[in-house]
Amino acid sequence: MDLELGPLLLSEKVIIAEIEDKALLGYDILKGRHGEPADILLSSNQILLDRLEISIFQVGK
């Protein structure tokens, strides 16, 4: 499946699950394409992944 995470485009195998959230990213995605783990910055609502900034939002906040 092709995934678009902000400016980042990935083609990955995914598991479709019946959950309430729109998406749940596992470690296989968050480790990055080059094995460099993502930095999740909840204080600024961003994920830094593969040297790209991805805006996120917190549900229920």
Side-chain angles (χ1 to χ4, degrees), residues 23-38:
L24 177 64
L25 300 177
Y27 184 74
D28 54 338
I29 300 294
L30 295 175
K31 71 177 177 182
R33 291 180 285 191
H34 309 291
E36 297 176 23

Side-chain angles (χ1 to χ4, degrees), residues 4 10 20 24 41 57:
E4 184 176 340
L10 303 168
E20 291 182 27
L24 177 64
L41 307 170
F57 62 93

Side-chain angles (χ1 to χ4, degrees), residues 19-59:
I19 60 175
E20 291 182 27
D21 296 319
K22 290 185 180 184
L24 177 64
L25 300 177
Y27 184 74
D28 54 338
I29 300 294
L30 295 175
K31 71 177 177 182
R33 291 180 285 191
H34 309 291
E36 297 176 23
D39 287 323
I40 301 172
L41 307 170
L42 295 178
S43 61
S44 60
N45 293 323
Q46 289 186 327
I47 294 176
L48 302 177
L49 180 61
D50 289 341
R51 299 187 181 112
L52 296 171
E53 294 180 2
I54 301 167
S55 296
I56 60 172
F57 62 93
Q58 298 177 47
V59 176

